[in-house]
Amino acid sequence: MSAEAAASICDLEFGGVQVKEPSEGGRWRGCWYERFVQPCLVELLGSALFIFIGCLSVIENGTDPGLLQPALAHGLALGLVIATLGSISGGHFNPAVSLAAMLVGGLHLMMLLPYWTSQLRGGLIGAALAKEPRQVMGAVVAEIILTTLLALAVCMGTINEKTQGPLAPFSIGFSVTVDILAGGAVSGACMNAACAFGPAVVANHWDFHWIYWLGPLLASLLVGVLIRFFIGDGKTRLILKGR
């Protein structure tokens, strides 16, 4: 396929808006990435986060027969990942939803299998991370994933132009609620070194204090890499910009 033909396809699929491009080949690379690859990456990431929160909330519910905590954690987590990532992939995070979307014309048939594959892989990753033993390393992993969810809500909701929206403050607040519901019993769901530092100084209690620096800071690096190289829009990404 020539670069000219590819550029025409991109015009059709993205509304035909004419913008000044550095090269038609570069434009096609960016268009192809955002049209076919990025949605699958987002489905994998969103499914991993959703399944991690869901599994952790059930594990931490223990023998308590109550369903309120897992129900809230699942529902809020799904709403959060849809609000944060849905404008990129449609926010399915469920093979059944993807099939329904395809049947009613909301997803191209060609993308159904890649979506399913991404969602199932995300589920495996999320479940594996949630199974981490509830010891020191489990607390570190929990802080990394929980802070990742929070940082994604902030960066994708307020900085990344493609996903910015007026509901960003609510998504950010809900991310804290979800994180505490799912991971409060594992690590305390601190997600903020300042929140750990102040009480540690006042109480003079420094046991495992490093966890609340290492976990959130690693999460910030992870989110930076994800957005800059994989799920950010053409203005934010450093590769395959297309414009």
Side-chain angles (χ1 to χ4, degrees):
M1 180 183 293
S2 67
E4 292 81 1
S8 298
I9 291 176
C10 287
D11 283 340
L12 288 173
E13 292 181 342
F14 291 96
V17 178
Q18 299 296 325
V19 293
K20 185 178 181 180
E21 304 291 348
S23 69
E24 291 184 347
R27 180 187 179 190
W28 166 239
R29 286 191 295 271
C31 172
W32 171 84
Y33 179 81
E34 291 186 359
R35 179 69 177 84
F36 300 110
V37 178
Q38 196 177 59
C40 294
L41 293 176
V42 164
E43 285 294 311
L44 186 151
L45 175 61
S47 296
L49 292 172
F50 172 56
I51 299 302
F52 173 81
I53 293 295
C55 289
L56 201 62
S57 68
V58 172
I59 292 171
E60 291 311 308
N61 209 32
T63 58
D64 186 348
L67 298 177
L68 181 60
Q69 178 185 342
L72 286 174
H74 277 83
L76 291 175
L78 182 58
L80 176 62
V81 293
I82 291 174
T84 304
L85 304 171
S87 61
I88 299 175
S89 69
H92 298 178
F93 313 120
N94 182 334
V97 172
S98 295
L99 177 59
M102 186 275 294
L103 292 174
V104 300
L107 180 70
H108 196 284
L109 176 61
M110 181 180 67
M111 295 298 293
L112 182 61
L113 185 57
Y115 263 48
W116 280 2
T117 303
S118 299
Q119 291 157 357
L120 294 177
R121 288 177 177 175
L124 286 173
I125 294 171
L129 291 172
K131 193 180 178 181
E132 184 67 37
R134 285 177 286 175
Q135 300 170 354
V136 173
M137 187 53 63
V140 174
V141 171
E143 284 296 312
I144 292 173
I145 305 303
L146 299 178
T147 307
T148 295
L149 193 63
L150 171 60
L152 277 174
V154 174
C155 294
M156 297 297 280
T158 64
I159 299 173
N160 193 63
E161 289 187 359
K162 185 175 181 179
T163 53
Q164 282 179 344
L167 296 179
F170 297 98
S171 296
I172 296 167
F174 283 143
S175 71
V176 175
T177 302
V178 168
D179 285 350
I180 293 173
L181 282 171
V186 178
S187 66
C190 190
M191 305 163 283
N192 183 338
C195 286
F197 180 72
V201 171
V202 172
N204 193 27
H205 183 80
W206 300 96
D207 292 349
F208 303 110
H209 181 72
W210 58 272
I211 292 175
Y212 304 106
W213 286 86
L214 181 63
L217 293 180
L218 287 178
S220 69
L221 294 176
L222 175 61
V223 170
V225 169
L226 286 173
I227 295 177
R228 280 295 196 177
F229 290 95
F230 300 107
I231 65 173
D233 58 23
K235 182 178 179 180
T236 306
R237 280 198 323 277
L238 298 178
I239 60 172
L240 297 171
K241 299 171 75 70
R243 57 170 60 93

